[in-house]
Amino acid sequence: LLVNCDKDSTSSKDMDNADTRISEDEELKDFSQMILTARGPDAIFKEYRLLLHISLSDMDKVGVFRHHAGEGKSHFEHVLGTYKLYHEVERKAGEEEIAFYVEGLTFPDVNFSGLVTINLTLQDNNIQGLPVFTDVVVFRVAPWIMIPNTLEPVEVFVCSVPNNSTFLKELTDLVKKAQCKLTVCEMIDNCGDRWIQDEMEFGYTQAPQKMFPVVFDSPRDGRLKGFPCQKILGPDFGYIKREAVSQYDVCSLDSFGNLEVSPPVTVNGKEYPLG
C-alpha cells in the first residue's frame, strides 16, 4: 500500500488521505485495488451477510473505499478506517466481483510494522450471525525511504536571507551547470531562517504500481516550519511530519542536517541495498 500523502487537488489544503473521500482529481494509482469475489446463487446471500472488518489497532493505518459503478457517474464510498471498524457488504443480484480501493494512512514506524489486515466474514443470519466462512488479506504499507546525497540532483532548495546574495549567485551558476531546478525560499516564507536543510529531508515511497517523492518535515519547527507543507506538498509529491509531544523533547539532533543515509553498502557481509 502507498500512504496517500500527496495532494492531487490544487484546491485542497491537506493531504489526500486526511479525509474520507476520493475526489475527482485523485489518481487511483495512489490506491491498491482489492477484489471481493462472491459467486453463488442469489438466494444464499439473502440468508447470509458479508462483513468486512479491521482491528482497532489498524483503524488509523488503513482506509478502504468501495467503488460503485453506475450507468451515470461512478462514486467511491468510504467503508473502513479512520472511525469505521466494519462494513456490511451489500451484494446486488448477480454481482460476482466487488471492487475496493485501499490506501495507507501512516508510514511504518517504531510502533507499526507496516502490516495491516482486512478480514471478511460470511455470517448466518438465522443463527445469530454465526460465522460460516472467513477470509483475510494482509497488506504491507510501503515505507518512507531516504535518499543519499550522492545521487544526481534533480532540484535544489535554498533560502534567500539579507546577507547571502553572493552565495545565491554562485549557487545559481552551479545549478545551471548541473542542469537541475533551483527553488529559492524567499524571506516572506523563511522569516530569516536560512537552515532549510535542518527543517526537511527528501525521500520517496514506492509500491508496484507507482513511486513518488515525499518530503519529511522535522520536529525542529523553526521559522521555516510551514514551508514543506505549504510549498512542496502537491500532486505526486507527498508530505510526512514527525511531531514531538513537547518542544522540550526536541534537541539539535532532531534537525535534519544531522540526518544522513549512506549509498547502498555491504557491511560485514550484510547488504544494505537502501543504505
Side-chain angles (χ1 to χ4, degrees), residues 11-246:
S11 61
S12 176
K13 295 182 179 180
D14 211 337
M15 298 174 288
D16 288 340
N17 65 3
D19 55 32
T20 55
R21 65 188 184 91
I22 299 180
S23 69
E24 295 179 359
D25 299 314
E26 289 186 54
E27 288 190 30
L28 287 182
K29 284 187 178 180
D30 292 348
F31 299 79
S32 292
Q33 193 179 52
M34 180 177 71
I35 301 294
L36 169 59
T37 303
R39 296 193 180 103
D42 293 334
I44 288 180
F45 295 96
K46 293 179 181 180
E47 299 179 2
Y48 297 85
R49 69 172 183 163
L50 287 166
L51 201 67
L52 281 177
H53 50 104
I54 57 175
S55 67
L56 185 62
S57 61
D58 283 346
M59 190 167 60
D60 61 347
K61 299 176 178 64
V62 65
V64 180
F65 296 81
R66 179 176 177 176
H67 182 222
H68 295 276
E71 295 181 0
K73 194 175 183 180
S74 64
H75 71 281
F76 296 88
E77 175 192 6
H78 177 253
V79 296
L80 288 176
T82 305
Y83 53 86
K84 295 179 179 179
L85 286 173
Y86 64 91
H87 169 68
E88 184 174 350
V89 181
E90 295 183 4
R91 176 186 177 277
K92 299 176 183 177
E95 190 174 23
E96 294 188 344
E97 290 190 346
I98 303 171
F100 295 87
Y101 288 85
V102 189
E103 66 177 354
L105 300 181
T106 186
F107 284 99
D109 208 332
V110 63
N111 296 318
F112 173 41
S113 69
L115 298 179
V116 293
T117 301
I118 300 174
N119 304 281
L120 172 71
T121 301
L122 181 66
Q123 295 182 339
D124 189 337
N125 292 331
N126 297 320
I127 316 178
Q128 298 181 341
L130 177 71
V132 295
F133 174 80
T134 60
D135 203 354
V136 64
V137 61
V138 179
F139 285 100
R140 179 179 292 278
V141 179
W144 179 80
I145 302 172
M146 186 175 166
I147 53 176
N149 57 18
T150 53
L151 294 179
E152 184 177 342
V154 175
E155 185 172 1
V156 176
F157 291 81
V158 66
C159 286
S160 173
V161 292
N163 60 352
N164 75 338
S165 57
T166 301
F167 169 71
L168 277 179
K169 183 181 181 302
E170 292 174 349
L171 183 63
T172 301
D173 293 339
L174 181 62
V175 167
K176 286 181 180 178
K177 291 179 181 179
Q179 297 182 336
C180 58
K181 180 182 177 181
L182 177 66
T183 296
V184 179
C185 177
E186 302 291 349
M187 276 286 295
I188 191 172
D189 292 316
N190 66 49
C191 302
D193 186 353
R194 73 179 67 211
W195 303 110
I196 194 167
Q197 182 175 314
D198 285 334
E199 190 61 44
M200 62 186 191
E201 187 66 65
F202 288 104
Y204 68 96
T205 188
Q206 183 175 9
Q209 75 275 17
K210 187 175 180 180
M211 176 181 72
F212 59 84
V214 179
V215 61
F216 192 173
D217 194 349
S218 82
R220 168 182 179 262
D221 282 353
R223 284 167 288 176
L224 273 162
K225 64 180 181 179
F227 181 78
C229 183
Q230 296 169 7
K231 300 296 183 178
I232 299 179
L233 170 64
D236 289 342
F237 211 123
Y239 171 85
I240 177 179
K241 181 173 178 60
R242 166 55 66 86
E243 293 184 284
V245 176
S246 165

